[in-house]
Amino acid sequence: MSELLQKLGVEHPLILAPMAGGPSTPRLAAAVSEAGGLGSYGAAYLPRGKVRDVIHEIRALTSRPFVINLFADDGVAAEPVVLQEAQAAVAKYREALGLPPSAPPAETATLAEAFPVLLEERVPVFSFTFGIPAGAILDACRSNGIVTMGTATSVAEARALEAAGVDCICAQGADAGGHQGTFDRNAEPPLVGTMALVPQIVDAVRVPVVAAGGIMDGRGVAAALALGAQAASLGTAFLLCPEAGTSAPYRTALRQARDDSTVITRAFSGRAARGLANRFTREMSGAPLAPYPVQNSLTREMRAAAARAGDHELLSLWAGQAASLAREIPAGELVAQIMHETAKVLLQLKPEA
Ligand SMILES: Cc1cc2nc3c(=O)[nH]c(=O)nc-3n(C[C@H](O)[C@H](O)[C@H](O)COP(=O)(O)O)c2cc1C
């Protein structure tokens, strides 16, 4: 058993990636932890006061370790001119749905508001993306036995996470579904693929590395281990599980996904994220956008209305490049199948004695 699995108290080198904004549910996280993997919950968009409820819900379903994930960057306000242009760009979609041009800001808890709850609740693992939380937060985790996991999309980010004292690093390749965890909100993400990124990060740091991006089955988990990762983090693979909160139109779009279906877009949130291409990503390509989280607020009601209407053309359909390999089975069965496949692949690769 690897150093990381021992530290986490987890049987399998398989982590359910956090998926904020709907797909993450306490049921999904608990099902993966109960199956011997490490379940995660993406709590980044939860309103103030809801974070504790979610932790209690997970604990009611499993006594095993789990991860709560937050964003290390709360984002910035938009300059008035930028806001005006961004509002104009989404106006026709909002208008068609009967929404006013301006959108109310989210009720989302900031990192400073949400983290104290994680601390009070002594969550087993705190993972984060979009940068490095303040030193006081990492210190508090260390002195309270909370394992920390930071996301890196480059070797430089991985080195910075290690220097800040995080316990393990999730190397997120460009193949990954959802937001690229790149620290600098204004920079284009480096887009290094998982296969290239993981071994370079493994060589650059001493802390355990987790591989994420495009991993869907035992072949992918075995490959991640071969590259030097101590575990694999899978998001898209779990989107069609019945326990996931994936909406019906999102599921419909995922069932049609092919290898070339995804694009990187900032149109929904202001931050670069990979999802299935649709009318909104196509029409908004090159349009003026507000920074995160303002753009996210501008599109929130539109996305909610589209989901209610069963329309996947105006929804954020976060998915990795191997989405076509997603299986529609319960999460616990998926963990068991993937671990069975991993063992088979590793055995096949073993040289003859
Ligand atoms: C729907 C969805 C939502 C995501 N939300 C988060 C999140 O809240 N926090 C985070 O750190 N990563 C998030 N990610 C990225 C995952 O942590 C992970 O890097 C990614 O799922 C790995 O690639 P894969 O989807 O190909 O397995 C999300 C990914 C997806 C697909």
Side-chain angles (χ1 to χ4, degrees), residues 141-345:
C141 289
R142 212 167 298 120
S143 47
N144 285 280
I146 298 174
V147 176
T148 51
M149 189 189 313
T151 307
T153 60
S154 67
V155 168
E157 288 175 352
R159 286 206 171 106
L161 286 164
E162 182 178 51
V166 301
D167 294 311
C168 57
I169 292 169
C170 180
Q172 186 196 39
D175 327 22
H179 285 101
Q180 289 285 302
T182 305
F183 292 7
D184 182 347
R185 64 173 87 93
N186 299 316
E188 286 311 314
L191 299 185
V192 184
T194 307
M195 188 87 175
L197 184 67
V198 173
Q200 294 188 75
I201 289 185
V202 166
D203 285 353
V205 298
R206 275 191 222 131
V207 291
V209 174
V210 171
I215 303 170
M216 303 295 286
D217 54 27
R219 294 171 295 186
V221 175
L225 299 177
L227 294 172
Q230 295 194 13
S233 178
L234 287 66
T236 304
F238 287 91
L239 281 172
L240 289 177
C241 292
E243 298 94 336
T246 318
S247 69
Y250 190 171
R251 286 175 191 263
T252 304
L254 281 166
R255 289 184 192 111
Q256 294 158 16
R258 297 186 325 223
D259 56 344
D260 59 353
S261 297
T262 68
V263 289
I264 300 256
T265 179
R266 287 181 190 261
F268 286 105
S269 69
R271 273 240 182 212
R274 183 179 293 285
L276 303 176
N278 60 7
R279 183 183 151 211
F280 195 71
T281 65
R282 278 190 294 273
E283 292 181 357
M284 289 290 288
S285 167
L289 304 173
Y292 177 87
V294 181
Q295 187 70 21
N296 204 51
S297 295
L298 283 176
T299 65
R300 181 183 313 103
E301 294 152 304
M302 174 192 86
R303 289 179 277 125
R308 280 194 301 273
D311 175 11
H312 58 70
E313 295 295 345
L314 299 178
L315 272 184
S316 49
L317 303 167
W318 303 147
Q321 287 184 312
S324 73
L325 300 175
R327 283 171 258 190
E328 218 158 337
I329 56 172
E333 267 176 52
L334 184 57
V335 171
Q337 279 193 12
I338 293 175
M339 290 323 301
H340 179 74
E341 294 160 5
T342 306
K344 219 168 114 187
V345 171

